[in-house]
Amino acid sequence: MKNFIYLIFIAFLFVCCKKETKHTVEKKSLTIAEKIANAHGFENWKNVSEITFTFGKNRSWVWQPKTNDVTLTTSKDTISYNRSSIDSMSMKTDRAFINDKFWLLIPFQLIWDEGLTISEAIKTKAPISKTEINKITLTYANEGGYTPGDAYDIYFNDDYIITEWAFRKGNKTKAGLINTFENYQDFNGIKIALNHKKAEGDWSLPFTNVKVILD
């Protein structure tokens, strides 16, 4: 009787181990886009009810992502609209919002954007730091969106944090803009680069007044 119980116990352990191994094998591996997004706090985005930021010196935004209400404040005007009902009056403002949000949250745009092709990651030399780093290329479809056909080379370190990018309008071979991503700060679990600089000159693009409000 003891031998019979022992055999039953061994069989039970074998079945459990087999199920656990199968579960481990079937677990979905993350894509490069998901790894980059998660490294910047994408898993916390679901709790964000409002984000505010100032792009450069001229445009201040308040965005409530769950309702898609957007407010732009400049030195001349304040404009509010909802992204689910864009008309000819709000389209210009929305174009500016999409541009500024793209700079602010490019790691998340890898997940959000439609009509986007992402290349395999390769090792290469970063254009500004000249260090060996990882690179993927984003290519947007030729139709749809505000900047169809554009391409971005995204440079990121082994922790999947973006350090530089190169913008190529219309997927041209030569980049029209290359700049850094630096001065990362953590806003309630969302990592945002607050400054961008070119290799030459004193050009820089800062983000200020950044706040991330959770539910």
Side-chain angles (χ1 to χ4, degrees), residues 27-53:
K27 186 177 180 180
K28 181 184 176 183
S29 59
L30 297 177
T31 65
I32 288 293
E34 290 169 333
K35 289 178 180 179
I36 293 173
N38 287 343
H40 293 80
F42 185 70
E43 293 175 331
N44 298 311
W45 183 258
K46 63 182 180 295
N47 301 317
V48 175
S49 60
E50 182 175 290
I51 182 167
T52 68
F53 62 95

mmCIF file of all heavy atoms in Angstrom, residues 27-53:
data_model
loop_
_atom_site.group_PDB
_atom_site.id
_atom_site.type_symbol
_atom_site.label_atom_id
_atom_site.label_comp_id
_atom_site.label_asym_id
_atom_site.label_seq_id
_atom_site.Cartn_x
_atom_site.Cartn_y
_atom_site.Cartn_z
ATOM 1 N N LYS A 27 4.925 31.159 -22.447
ATOM 2 C CA LYS A 27 4.877 32.562 -22.058
ATOM 3 C C LYS A 27 5.416 33.437 -23.183
ATOM 4 O O LYS A 27 6.507 33.221 -23.694
ATOM 5 C CB LYS A 27 5.697 32.792 -20.783
ATOM 6 C CG LYS A 27 5.566 34.207 -20.248
ATOM 7 C CD LYS A 27 6.333 34.349 -18.952
ATOM 8 C CE LYS A 27 6.206 35.766 -18.404
ATOM 9 N NZ LYS A 27 6.959 35.917 -17.124
ATOM 10 N N LYS A 28 4.635 34.429 -23.572
ATOM 11 C CA LYS A 28 4.989 35.277 -24.711
ATOM 12 C C LYS A 28 6.201 36.135 -24.390
ATOM 13 O O LYS A 28 6.252 36.798 -23.346
ATOM 14 C CB LYS A 28 3.800 36.173 -25.065
ATOM 15 C CG LYS A 28 4.058 37.082 -26.255
ATOM 16 C CD LYS A 28 2.881 38.007 -26.474
ATOM 17 C CE LYS A 28 3.178 38.989 -27.608
ATOM 18 N NZ LYS A 28 2.066 39.942 -27.799
ATOM 19 N N SER A 29 7.176 36.134 -25.281
ATOM 20 C CA SER A 29 8.337 37.002 -25.111
ATOM 21 C C SER A 29 7.996 38.405 -25.601
ATOM 22 O O SER A 29 7.215 38.583 -26.538
ATOM 23 C CB SER A 29 9.535 36.450 -25.886
ATOM 24 O OG SER A 29 9.226 36.346 -27.267
ATOM 25 N N LEU A 30 8.582 39.411 -24.965
ATOM 26 C CA LEU A 30 8.293 40.791 -25.306
ATOM 27 C C LEU A 30 9.019 41.199 -26.575
ATOM 28 O O LEU A 30 10.139 40.764 -26.857
ATOM 29 C CB LEU A 30 8.723 41.714 -24.159
ATOM 30 C CG LEU A 30 8.009 41.527 -22.823
ATOM 31 C CD1 LEU A 30 8.597 42.474 -21.783
ATOM 32 C CD2 LEU A 30 6.514 41.757 -22.967
ATOM 33 N N THR A 31 8.386 42.068 -27.352
ATOM 34 C CA THR A 31 9.030 42.641 -28.530
ATOM 35 C C THR A 31 9.986 43.737 -28.085
ATOM 36 O O THR A 31 9.944 44.205 -26.944
ATOM 37 C CB THR A 31 7.988 43.236 -29.485
ATOM 38 O OG1 THR A 31 7.341 44.352 -28.829
ATOM 39 C CG2 THR A 31 6.934 42.203 -29.879
ATOM 40 N N ILE A 32 10.840 44.178 -29.006
ATOM 41 C CA ILE A 32 11.749 45.289 -28.707
ATOM 42 C C ILE A 32 10.949 46.526 -28.327
ATOM 43 O O ILE A 32 11.291 47.237 -27.367
ATOM 44 C CB ILE A 32 12.647 45.594 -29.920
ATOM 45 C CG1 ILE A 32 13.698 44.489 -30.098
ATOM 46 C CG2 ILE A 32 13.342 46.944 -29.763
ATOM 47 C CD1 ILE A 32 14.730 44.427 -28.983
ATOM 48 N N ALA A 33 9.868 46.797 -29.053
ATOM 49 C CA ALA A 33 9.032 47.966 -28.759
ATOM 50 C C ALA A 33 8.482 47.890 -27.341
ATOM 51 O O ALA A 33 8.470 48.889 -26.608
ATOM 52 C CB ALA A 33 7.897 48.067 -29.769
ATOM 53 N N GLU A 34 8.020 46.721 -26.929
ATOM 54 C CA GLU A 34 7.466 46.548 -25.587
ATOM 55 C C GLU A 34 8.542 46.699 -24.519
ATOM 56 O O GLU A 34 8.301 47.290 -23.450
ATOM 57 C CB GLU A 34 6.786 45.184 -25.482
ATOM 58 C CG GLU A 34 5.497 45.082 -26.294
ATOM 59 C CD GLU A 34 4.981 43.666 -26.394
ATOM 60 O OE1 GLU A 34 5.795 42.707 -26.312
ATOM 61 O OE2 GLU A 34 3.755 43.494 -26.555
ATOM 62 N N LYS A 35 9.738 46.201 -24.798
ATOM 63 C CA LYS A 35 10.834 46.329 -23.832
ATOM 64 C C LYS A 35 11.227 47.793 -23.647
ATOM 65 O O LYS A 35 11.480 48.242 -22.519
ATOM 66 C CB LYS A 35 12.037 45.498 -24.294
ATOM 67 C CG LYS A 35 11.825 44.000 -24.196
ATOM 68 C CD LYS A 35 13.033 43.234 -24.715
ATOM 69 C CE LYS A 35 12.811 41.723 -24.623
ATOM 70 N NZ LYS A 35 13.969 40.964 -25.147
ATOM 71 N N ILE A 36 11.291 48.538 -24.745
ATOM 72 C CA ILE A 36 11.633 49.957 -24.652
ATOM 73 C C ILE A 36 10.542 50.721 -23.918
ATOM 74 O O ILE A 36 10.809 51.531 -23.028
ATOM 75 C CB ILE A 36 11.860 50.548 -26.060
ATOM 76 C CG1 ILE A 36 13.120 49.932 -26.692
ATOM 77 C CG2 ILE A 36 11.988 52.074 -26.001
ATOM 78 C CD1 ILE A 36 13.338 50.333 -28.140
ATOM 79 N N ALA A 37 9.292 50.459 -24.280
ATOM 80 C CA ALA A 37 8.174 51.140 -23.629
ATOM 81 C C ALA A 37 8.149 50.834 -22.134
ATOM 82 O O ALA A 37 8.002 51.749 -21.300
ATOM 83 C CB ALA A 37 6.859 50.729 -24.289
ATOM 84 N N ASN A 38 8.314 49.578 -21.767
ATOM 85 C CA ASN A 38 8.274 49.193 -20.359
ATOM 86 C C ASN A 38 9.434 49.791 -19.566
ATOM 87 O O ASN A 38 9.287 50.133 -18.382
ATOM 88 C CB ASN A 38 8.279 47.674 -20.217
ATOM 89 C CG ASN A 38 6.956 47.050 -20.610
ATOM 90 O OD1 ASN A 38 5.936 47.732 -20.700
ATOM 91 N ND2 ASN A 38 6.955 45.751 -20.858
ATOM 92 N N ALA A 39 10.597 49.916 -20.210
ATOM 93 C CA ALA A 39 11.751 50.509 -19.538
ATOM 94 C C ALA A 39 11.497 51.970 -19.165
ATOM 95 O O ALA A 39 12.100 52.500 -18.230
ATOM 96 C CB ALA A 39 12.987 50.416 -20.428
ATOM 97 N N HIS A 40 10.584 52.604 -19.894
ATOM 98 C CA HIS A 40 10.224 54.000 -19.624
ATOM 99 C C HIS A 40 8.927 54.119 -18.812
ATOM 100 O O HIS A 40 8.405 55.223 -18.665
ATOM 101 C CB HIS A 40 10.090 54.769 -20.936
ATOM 102 C CG HIS A 40 11.390 54.931 -21.675
ATOM 103 N ND1 HIS A 40 11.925 53.925 -22.456
ATOM 104 C CD2 HIS A 40 12.256 55.967 -21.757
ATOM 105 C CE1 HIS A 40 13.070 54.338 -22.989
ATOM 106 N NE2 HIS A 40 13.297 55.571 -22.574
ATOM 107 N N GLY A 41 8.403 52.993 -18.330
ATOM 108 C CA GLY A 41 7.265 53.034 -17.423
ATOM 109 C C GLY A 41 5.903 52.822 -18.047
ATOM 110 O O GLY A 41 4.882 53.193 -17.460
ATOM 111 N N PHE A 42 5.852 52.208 -19.208
ATOM 112 C CA PHE A 42 4.574 52.045 -19.904
ATOM 113 C C PHE A 42 3.535 51.279 -19.081
ATOM 114 O O PHE A 42 2.335 51.548 -19.182
ATOM 115 C CB PHE A 42 4.800 51.335 -21.244
ATOM 116 C CG PHE A 42 3.554 51.232 -22.085
ATOM 117 C CD1 PHE A 42 3.008 52.359 -22.673
ATOM 118 C CD2 PHE A 42 2.938 50.011 -22.298
ATOM 119 C CE1 PHE A 42 1.858 52.280 -23.441
ATOM 120 C CE2 PHE A 42 1.788 49.916 -23.080
ATOM 121 C CZ PHE A 42 1.255 51.054 -23.648
ATOM 122 N N GLU A 43 3.997 50.362 -18.263
ATOM 123 C CA GLU A 43 3.063 49.578 -17.448
ATOM 124 C C GLU A 43 2.310 50.444 -16.437
ATOM 125 O O GLU A 43 1.273 50.051 -15.912
ATOM 126 C CB GLU A 43 3.817 48.450 -16.740
ATOM 127 C CG GLU A 43 4.353 47.399 -17.712
ATOM 128 C CD GLU A 43 5.197 46.346 -17.034
ATOM 129 O OE1 GLU A 43 5.822 46.669 -16.004
ATOM 130 O OE2 GLU A 43 5.234 45.206 -17.523
ATOM 131 N N ASN A 44 2.828 51.647 -16.165
ATOM 132 C CA ASN A 44 2.164 52.570 -15.243
ATOM 133 C C ASN A 44 1.209 53.527 -15.952
ATOM 134 O O ASN A 44 0.470 54.260 -15.287
ATOM 135 C CB ASN A 44 3.208 53.385 -14.469
ATOM 136 C CG ASN A 44 4.116 52.513 -13.617
ATOM 137 O OD1 ASN A 44 3.636 51.660 -12.885
ATOM 138 N ND2 ASN A 44 5.408 52.711 -13.736
ATOM 139 N N TRP A 45 1.249 53.542 -17.288
ATOM 140 C CA TRP A 45 0.442 54.506 -18.034
ATOM 141 C C TRP A 45 -1.050 54.312 -17.790
ATOM 142 O O TRP A 45 -1.819 55.277 -17.809
ATOM 143 C CB TRP A 45 0.754 54.424 -19.526
ATOM 144 C CG TRP A 45 -0.011 55.450 -20.315
ATOM 145 C CD1 TRP A 45 -1.129 55.261 -21.069
ATOM 146 C CD2 TRP A 45 0.271 56.853 -20.377
ATOM 147 N NE1 TRP A 45 -1.566 56.449 -21.612
ATOM 148 C CE2 TRP A 45 -0.728 57.442 -21.200
ATOM 149 C CE3 TRP A 45 1.258 57.674 -19.822
ATOM 150 C CZ2 TRP A 45 -0.750 58.813 -21.481
ATOM 151 C CZ3 TRP A 45 1.233 59.027 -20.097
ATOM 152 C CH2 TRP A 45 0.237 59.588 -20.922
ATOM 153 N N LYS A 46 -1.467 53.099 -17.557
ATOM 154 C CA LYS A 46 -2.896 52.821 -17.358
ATOM 155 C C LYS A 46 -3.476 53.573 -16.170
ATOM 156 O O LYS A 46 -4.699 53.753 -16.062
ATOM 157 C CB LYS A 46 -3.117 51.315 -17.180
ATOM 158 C CG LYS A 46 -2.441 50.720 -15.961
ATOM 159 C CD LYS A 46 -2.665 49.230 -15.895
ATOM 160 C CE LYS A 46 -1.981 48.610 -14.669
ATOM 161 N NZ LYS A 46 -0.498 48.719 -14.753
ATOM 162 N N ASN A 47 -2.611 54.035 -15.270
ATOM 163 C CA ASN A 47 -3.073 54.764 -14.090
ATOM 164 C C ASN A 47 -3.024 56.282 -14.263
ATOM 165 O O ASN A 47 -3.409 57.011 -13.337
ATOM 166 C CB ASN A 47 -2.214 54.374 -12.878
ATOM 167 C CG ASN A 47 -2.272 52.892 -12.579
ATOM 168 O OD1 ASN A 47 -3.343 52.290 -12.611
ATOM 169 N ND2 ASN A 47 -1.129 52.287 -12.295
ATOM 170 N N VAL A 48 -2.562 56.750 -15.414
ATOM 171 C CA VAL A 48 -2.408 58.196 -15.630
ATOM 172 C C VAL A 48 -3.753 58.807 -16.030
ATOM 173 O O VAL A 48 -4.373 58.388 -17.007
ATOM 174 C CB VAL A 48 -1.349 58.484 -16.708
ATOM 175 C CG1 VAL A 48 -1.297 59.984 -17.010
ATOM 176 C CG2 VAL A 48 0.014 57.980 -16.260
ATOM 177 N N SER A 49 -4.186 59.803 -15.279
ATOM 178 C CA SER A 49 -5.430 60.504 -15.601
ATOM 179 C C SER A 49 -5.175 61.849 -16.266
ATOM 180 O O SER A 49 -6.029 62.355 -16.995
ATOM 181 C CB SER A 49 -6.269 60.718 -14.339
ATOM 182 O OG SER A 49 -5.556 61.496 -13.389
ATOM 183 N N GLU A 50 -3.988 62.407 -16.021
ATOM 184 C CA GLU A 50 -3.676 63.714 -16.618
ATOM 185 C C GLU A 50 -2.164 63.903 -16.700
ATOM 186 O O GLU A 50 -1.426 63.493 -15.800
ATOM 187 C CB GLU A 50 -4.294 64.838 -15.787
ATOM 188 C CG GLU A 50 -4.079 66.240 -16.356
ATOM 189 C CD GLU A 50 -4.810 67.306 -15.546
ATOM 190 O OE1 GLU A 50 -6.060 67.321 -15.604
ATOM 191 O OE2 GLU A 50 -4.142 68.090 -14.837
ATOM 192 N N ILE A 51 -1.719 64.523 -17.774
ATOM 193 C CA ILE A 51 -0.311 64.873 -17.919
ATOM 194 C C ILE A 51 -0.224 66.295 -18.456
ATOM 195 O O ILE A 51 -0.972 66.666 -19.368
ATOM 196 C CB ILE A 51 0.428 63.869 -18.841
ATOM 197 C CG1 ILE A 51 1.917 64.228 -18.933
ATOM 198 C CG2 ILE A 51 -0.203 63.767 -20.215
ATOM 199 C CD1 ILE A 51 2.758 63.116 -19.556
ATOM 200 N N THR A 52 0.647 67.082 -17.859
ATOM 201 C CA THR A 52 0.861 68.454 -18.308
ATOM 202 C C THR A 52 2.331 68.631 -18.647
ATOM 203 O O THR A 52 3.200 68.022 -18.013
ATOM 204 C CB THR A 52 0.451 69.471 -17.224
ATOM 205 O OG1 THR A 52 1.355 69.368 -16.119
ATOM 206 C CG2 THR A 52 -0.963 69.221 -16.738
ATOM 207 N N PHE A 53 2.615 69.459 -19.633
ATOM 208 C CA PHE A 53 3.999 69.736 -20.009
ATOM 209 C C PHE A 53 4.066 70.980 -20.884
ATOM 210 O O PHE A 53 3.099 71.354 -21.545
ATOM 211 C CB PHE A 53 4.625 68.547 -20.736
ATOM 212 C CG PHE A 53 3.959 68.174 -22.035
ATOM 213 C CD1 PHE A 53 4.434 68.649 -23.257
ATOM 214 C CD2 PHE A 53 2.854 67.334 -22.057
ATOM 215 C CE1 PHE A 53 3.827 68.299 -24.457
ATOM 216 C CE2 PHE A 53 2.239 66.974 -23.249
ATOM 217 C CZ PHE A 53 2.728 67.456 -24.455
#
